[in-house]
């Protein structure tokens, strides 16, 4: 199986203020298959996609449970390198979807990951 999702749940908040957005999604797709997520605004499509490449890791109070198997690896395991996951599972959204950092930090982020540490060079890139 190329991508297999089992009992995927996503919630925001804590205890009595917790809001469950995704409720036990099961899904499988074979390599080469085409899949469409269709639904009205607010139905959880983008939330689901964000869970696939662990973009929720940076959101305080966000909790994702379940199993996301990609090419035999459980990518929801905290030991899995999130940057390697994002190289394999890319996202394109209708609107910009930056990380909760400054514009500068969002742009400089990948360049730092690629080894550029010189502030002057980063300033020039940004």
């Amino acid at each position: 199986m190329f991508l297999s999702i089992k009992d995927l749940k996503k919630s925001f908040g804590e205890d009595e203020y917790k809001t469950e957005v995704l409720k036990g999604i099961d899904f499988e797709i074979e390599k080469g298959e085409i899949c469409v997520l269709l639904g009205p605004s607010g139905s959880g499509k983008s939330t689901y996609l964000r869970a696939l490449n662990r973009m929720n890791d940076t959101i305080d109070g966000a909790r994702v449970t379940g199993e996301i198997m990609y090419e035999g690896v459980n990518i929801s395991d905290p030991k899995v390198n999130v940057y390697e996951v994002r190289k394999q599972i890319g996202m394109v959204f209708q609107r910009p979807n930056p990380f909760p950092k400054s514009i500068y930090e969002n742009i400089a982020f990948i360049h730092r990951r690629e080894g550029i540490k010189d502030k002057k060079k980063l300033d020039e890139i940004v």
Side-chain angles (χ1 to χ4, degrees):
M1 188 58 51
F2 182 65
L3 180 66
S4 173
I5 305 339
K6 292 183 182 158
D7 199 29
L8 182 66
K9 295 177 183 173
K10 167 127 185 234
S11 60
F12 294 99
E14 301 292 328
D15 301 325
E16 68 268 13
Y17 301 106
K18 186 168 99 174
T19 302
E20 195 170 48
V21 180
L22 302 177
K23 302 175 183 182
I25 294 174
D26 294 315
F27 181 80
E28 291 185 348
I29 189 168
E30 294 288 345
K31 190 168 188 161
E33 282 186 319
I34 296 173
C35 172
V36 175
L37 295 178
L38 184 66
S41 178
S43 64
K45 300 178 303 293
S46 294
T47 299
Y48 173 74
L49 292 173
R50 289 172 63 89
L52 295 184
N53 77 350
R54 302 211 3 222
M55 291 178 74
N56 302 299
D57 290 10
T58 61
I59 299 173
D60 290 336
R63 181 182 160 127
V64 178
T65 60
E67 182 178 85
I68 304 170
M69 298 294 289
Y70 175 71
E71 295 190 335
V73 175
N74 184 358
I75 63 172
S76 50
D77 184 335
K79 295 179 203 139
V80 171
N81 184 326
V82 69
Y83 304 109
E84 292 304 316
V85 169
R86 291 178 185 151
K87 285 180 184 178
Q88 298 297 312
I89 302 175
M91 300 290 149
V92 178
F93 295 95
Q94 289 177 313
R95 292 187 213 134
N97 205 345
F99 290 104
K101 302 175 185 297
S102 69
I103 293 170
Y104 182 97
E105 289 303 319
N106 269 277
I107 295 169
F109 180 79
I110 192 63
H111 300 287
R112 285 194 181 110
R113 289 279 312 151
E114 294 300 318
I116 298 173
K117 305 288 184 213
D118 179 36
K119 172 121 172 69
K120 193 173 185 176
K121 179 69 176 168
L122 287 170
D123 288 347
E124 185 179 299
I125 290 168
V126 173

